Amino acid sequence: MQAHQQTTTRQFDPQAQAYLGSAVHAAGPDLAMAQQLLAANLGRDARALDVGCGAGHLAFAMAPLLAQVTALDPAPAMLDTVASAAAERGLPNIDTRPGQAGALPFADGSFPLVASRYSAHHWLDLAAGLADMRRVTAPGGYVLIIDVQAPEDALADTHLQCWELLRDRSHVRDRSDSEWRALFAASGIQLLAHHSWPLRLEFGSWVTRMRTPPEKVAMLRQLQQEAAQEVASALQLEADGSFTTATGLWWGQVQ
């Protein structure tokens, strides 16, 4: 039996190139909104930390607007992919660093912006991870979280979490807007803005990207087919297993 962090690294390390090319991760209105927030609130001399950077799409979006972006991830192949892609895209101000939320290898108040995209639902102790992000954020600086936003409805939420875990054993939990608001408040981060957008997940590419075993794909499809009408409606479940949840963005400030 592996520790959770080992499971997460083993899940994602071989899939770095798949995530670099993933349409879900490479684009989206959340990235455009992140750029708007950076342009409105940070100078071009500012530095940012991207926690759980994955294949680097948030870092790539932030880098043209800032002096430096540090992309941090526990998976070595992800960091190699970010470094290579940054060089290809002419973004020399992106540097990479191994590490994870909850044990960030930086001094207090190191960055005017600390951000994370599509990573937090893998963190074993989200409260500790967010508190650590706050710790390394400079006073008056900003915290940006982008992640899958869970439904507020308990029935739809339970089904979504179960589908996610069958697809990816490193999954911990997608949080709802109300959960994120509570987490920000408990961490001493003032929430300034929240935005959300529909996120359609095409079933075939969704399970292929994570190399979900066939037996788990079959279980997942059975659960979907047996889901109550309320779940099918809330998650816009389609005949082939594709469904729509949401991407949420939370923008806060450290006082």
Side-chain angles (χ1 to χ4, degrees):
M1 182 180 297
Q2 296 175 339
H4 176 75
Q5 187 54 57
Q6 291 176 304
T7 298
T8 302
T9 301
R10 287 175 64 93
Q11 284 282 94
F12 284 92
D13 216 27
Q15 295 303 98
Q17 286 299 317
Y19 273 81
L20 181 64
S22 164
V24 169
H25 294 80
D30 59 295
L31 290 175
M33 178 57 70
Q35 290 177 320
Q36 290 179 35
L37 290 166
L38 265 64
N41 294 283
L42 293 164
R44 288 190 173 270
D45 59 343
R47 300 167 59 241
L49 172 65
D50 181 3
V51 181
C53 64
H57 299 296
L58 180 58
F60 302 151
M62 296 192 297
L65 301 171
L66 301 173
Q68 184 182 33
V69 177
T70 297
L72 178 139
D73 201 274
M78 286 292 189
L79 296 179
D80 290 344
T81 295
V82 172
S84 176
E88 291 174 1
R89 297 172 190 224
L91 298 171
N93 59 330
I94 294 178
D95 67 292
T96 60
R97 185 83 175 262
Q100 63 191 62
L104 296 173
F106 305 102
D108 296 0
S110 293
F111 299 91
L113 171 64
V114 180
S116 182
R117 180 175 186 254
Y118 290 145
S119 175
H121 58 273
H122 297 287
W123 299 356
L124 192 59
D125 189 337
L126 181 54
L130 192 60
D132 202 24
M133 290 178 66
R134 183 198 185 285
R135 178 186 65 79
V136 301
T137 304
Y142 298 92
V143 173
L144 170 65
I145 294 288
I146 300 171
D147 205 4
V148 177
Q149 180 175 312
E152 297 287 351
D153 175 74
L155 182 63
D157 174 67
T158 296
H159 280 71
L160 175 62
Q161 307 297 342
C162 191
W163 298 353
E164 290 263 41
L165 185 58
L166 279 172
R167 178 244 181 186
D168 170 16
R169 63 195 179 99
S170 71
H171 177 75
V172 175
R173 181 168 182 79
D174 300 324
R175 266 69 175 194
S176 64
D177 176 42
S178 62
E179 288 176 299
W180 273 113
R181 288 173 183 270
L183 283 159
F184 266 54
S187 298
I189 302 168
Q190 180 186 2
L191 182 65
L192 301 179
H194 166 248
H195 302 274
S196 64
W197 303 266
L199 175 64
R200 181 180 181 272
L201 295 168
E202 191 278 320
F203 188 82
S205 59
W206 184 59
V207 294
T208 299
R209 187 163 58 246
M210 194 43 65
R211 301 179 301 162
T212 306
E215 63 273 16
K216 288 192 176 181
V217 172
M219 293 169 65
L220 207 169
R221 290 294 289 129
Q222 182 175 354
L223 275 177
Q224 289 182 324
Q225 290 159 5
E226 294 175 351
Q229 180 57 48
E230 293 90 339
V231 173
S233 177
L235 295 173
Q236 300 178 43
L237 182 60
E238 302 172 30
D240 69 347
S242 302
F243 63 96
T244 298
T245 178
T247 292
L249 180 152
W250 295 267
W251 174 257
Q253 188 172 32
V254 172
Q255 300 302 314

